[in-house]
Amino acid sequence: MANLWRGVIREYADRLNVTDATPVVTLGEGGTPLIPAPALSARTGANVFVKYEGMNPTGSFKDRGMTMAISKAVEHGAKAVICASTGNTSASAAAYATHAGISSVVLVPEGKIAMGKLSQAIAHNASLLQVQGNFDDCLDIARELSANYPVHLVNSVNPDRIDGQKTAAFEIIEQLGKTPDFHFIPVGNAGNYTAYHRGFREFADAGLATHVPRMFGFQAEGSAPIVLGHPVKNPETIASAIRIGNPASWELALSARDDSNGYFGALSDAKILEAHRILSAEVGIFVEPASAISVAGLLERSAAGEIPAGSTVTVTVTGHGLKDPQWALRTDDGSDVQPTVVPVDVAQIADVLGLVKGTA
Ligand SMILES: *Cc1c(COP(=O)(O)O)cnc(C)c1O
């Protein structure tokens, strides 16, 4: 067992708000791959690496924060946790809560959460309620319930979440053996943007990183409050994980941008889907739509001449493609791909594939 990854709390205990008295609730999160992406390097002239957070136990980076939030909740004697969620937080909270033997309540916007995520939360025994409102309404209610009832809030307004999520930045520096020049990341509540900056800043201050990378965050055009400078009442985008009109970590994220000479941009759903296709078909990494916006952002900033050739660029893709797989089948005219049906016949199949007889 000696060399097995032990989850982010045990791996980074000295940098997290835990003590020997903290019961560690872990599913082995973190330690995700940092994958060189030659196809993206070729398109941009930079050296591009993808941090594949879909490889966490419940399929998104939320697990890094949730191991902390649930461990601290259990340390404080909580018997139940609550969260508002666009999907992945609920899947993660439900899994970690049930592992710890406590119960979870999740509030999701009615009809707005991807099937994979809904299935996870239900499978992991959450009390899941669909609220007839949007994510921001769900968060308001979760906050009020946790203030007045015996349920512990595990949304990213809980500082333990951001604390746990910063470990991804530590891993990037350790995996790369140096500090990237730019880091690209999707932005919803902006907790993860804030967390990566914090991780990079901590390593820089400790002399473990040479600098803080420029933090480039991206919101969907129909859901871009930080870029617009005001909340968006009815946020819209196919990227459900970042369909957020009033980010909980807005102020923290602005400080992180300023400290890192960073940037926030907004991109259309069409650009998100284009990046999704590039990641799937050229790099070999399957993500949910929200995750692809960081790649879309890299391609857009590169086209704008903002990424010097030879820069080292890391890109976080936040959640697994199996969470919300339908987008992979969608074609430009809006219909779904229908795989060709063939008879049980070698010659006919070779013909359909355009294969000519002879050995390779
Ligand atoms: C939660 C989530 C985001 C957004 O992260 P924030 O911390 O809310 O900015 C992006 N992508 C996926 C897949 C997520 O689950």
Side-chain angles (χ1 to χ4, degrees):
M1 295 282 287
N3 289 318
L4 287 187
W5 182 262
R6 298 164 298 164
V8 299
I9 294 180
R10 293 201 176 96
E11 293 293 332
Y12 294 108
D14 54 339
R15 301 201 166 272
L16 296 170
N17 177 29
V18 291
T19 66
D20 290 345
T22 309
V24 178
V25 181
T26 180
L27 293 169
E29 63 294 316
T32 57
L34 182 69
I35 304 169
L40 298 179
S41 299
R43 282 175 175 269
T44 58
N47 292 318
V48 184
F49 299 81
V50 177
K51 184 68 169 162
Y52 191 15
E53 289 289 279
M55 295 301 284
N56 277 295
T58 77
S60 85
F61 74 85
K62 298 297 199 298
D63 296 342
R64 293 179 184 274
M66 205 54 73
T67 184
M68 277 294 293
I70 300 291
S71 296
K72 297 296 284 185
V74 171
E75 183 176 357
H76 293 128
K79 296 281 180 277
V81 295
I82 187 168
C83 66
S85 178
T86 59
N88 283 330
T89 297
S90 66
S92 188
Y96 281 78
T98 210
H99 190 75
I102 64 175
S103 59
S104 62
V105 178
V106 305
L107 305 179
V108 299
E110 184 186 21
K112 295 282 188 185
I113 113 164
M115 179 59 79
K117 306 174 188 182
L118 189 70
S119 312
Q120 286 179 290
I122 302 274
H124 297 311
N125 236 357
S127 303
L128 184 140
L129 300 177
Q130 297 202 65
V131 177
Q132 294 171 317
N134 60 30
F135 169 83
D136 305 288
D137 299 320
C138 293
L139 182 56
D140 288 344
I141 294 169
R143 282 177 137 152
E144 205 165 320
L145 284 171
S146 70
N148 297 297
Y149 298 84
V151 285
H152 190 91
L153 187 67
V154 292
N155 274 104
S156 63
V157 292
N158 174 329
D160 297 319
R161 288 272 311 278
I162 292 183
D163 203 31
Q165 286 170 206
K166 76 186 176 190
T167 57
F170 300 160
E171 290 175 20
I172 284 176
I173 290 173
E174 290 169 348
Q175 288 170 311
L176 209 51
K178 64 175 180 175
T179 314
D181 300 312
F182 293 85
H183 186 72
F184 284 76
I185 189 165
V187 174
N189 271 304
N192 211 30
Y193 180 98
T194 302
Y196 271 75
H197 170 264
R198 189 169 298 173
F200 287 131
R201 167 52 64 202
E202 266 188 47
F203 261 31
D205 288 349
L208 298 168
T210 47
H211 59 277
V212 173
R214 298 184 65 188
M215 292 289 304
F216 277 36
F218 293 87
Q219 302 191 297
E221 241 165 42
S223 180
I226 298 180
V227 177
L228 295 170
H230 59 77
V232 173
K233 198 148 177 52
N234 295 304
E236 271 310 333
T237 167
I238 57 145
S240 56
I242 53 172
R243 189 189 286 130
I244 286 167
N246 192 11
S249 295
W250 194 328
E251 290 305 321
L252 291 171
L254 291 180
S255 313
R257 178 199 60 189
D258 293 346
D259 182 63
S260 74
N261 188 20
Y263 174 85
F264 287 112
L267 295 166
S268 67
D269 283 359
K271 288 285 177 200
I272 294 172
L273 288 177
E274 184 187 323
H276 186 271
R277 268 194 292 271
I278 290 169
L279 260 175
S280 307
E282 296 182 19
V283 186
I285 295 177
F286 195 34
V287 301
E288 62 169 285
S291 305
I293 200 171
S294 50
V295 173
L298 167 61
L299 296 174
E300 189 269 337
R301 287 290 84 194
S302 171
E306 296 294 321
I307 313 298
S311 300
T312 299
V313 172
T314 48
V315 179
T316 290
V317 293
T318 42
H320 204 288
L322 295 175
K323 295 269 193 178
D324 194 4
Q326 70 185 87
W327 301 104
L329 300 177
R330 196 62 48 88
T331 60
D332 288 336
D333 67 16
S335 63
D336 281 353
V337 172
Q338 297 295 335
T340 307
V341 177
V342 293
V344 186
D345 184 306
V346 172
Q348 279 193 52
I349 291 175
D351 191 46
V352 168
L353 293 173
L355 294 173
V356 179
K357 209 156 188 171
T359 46

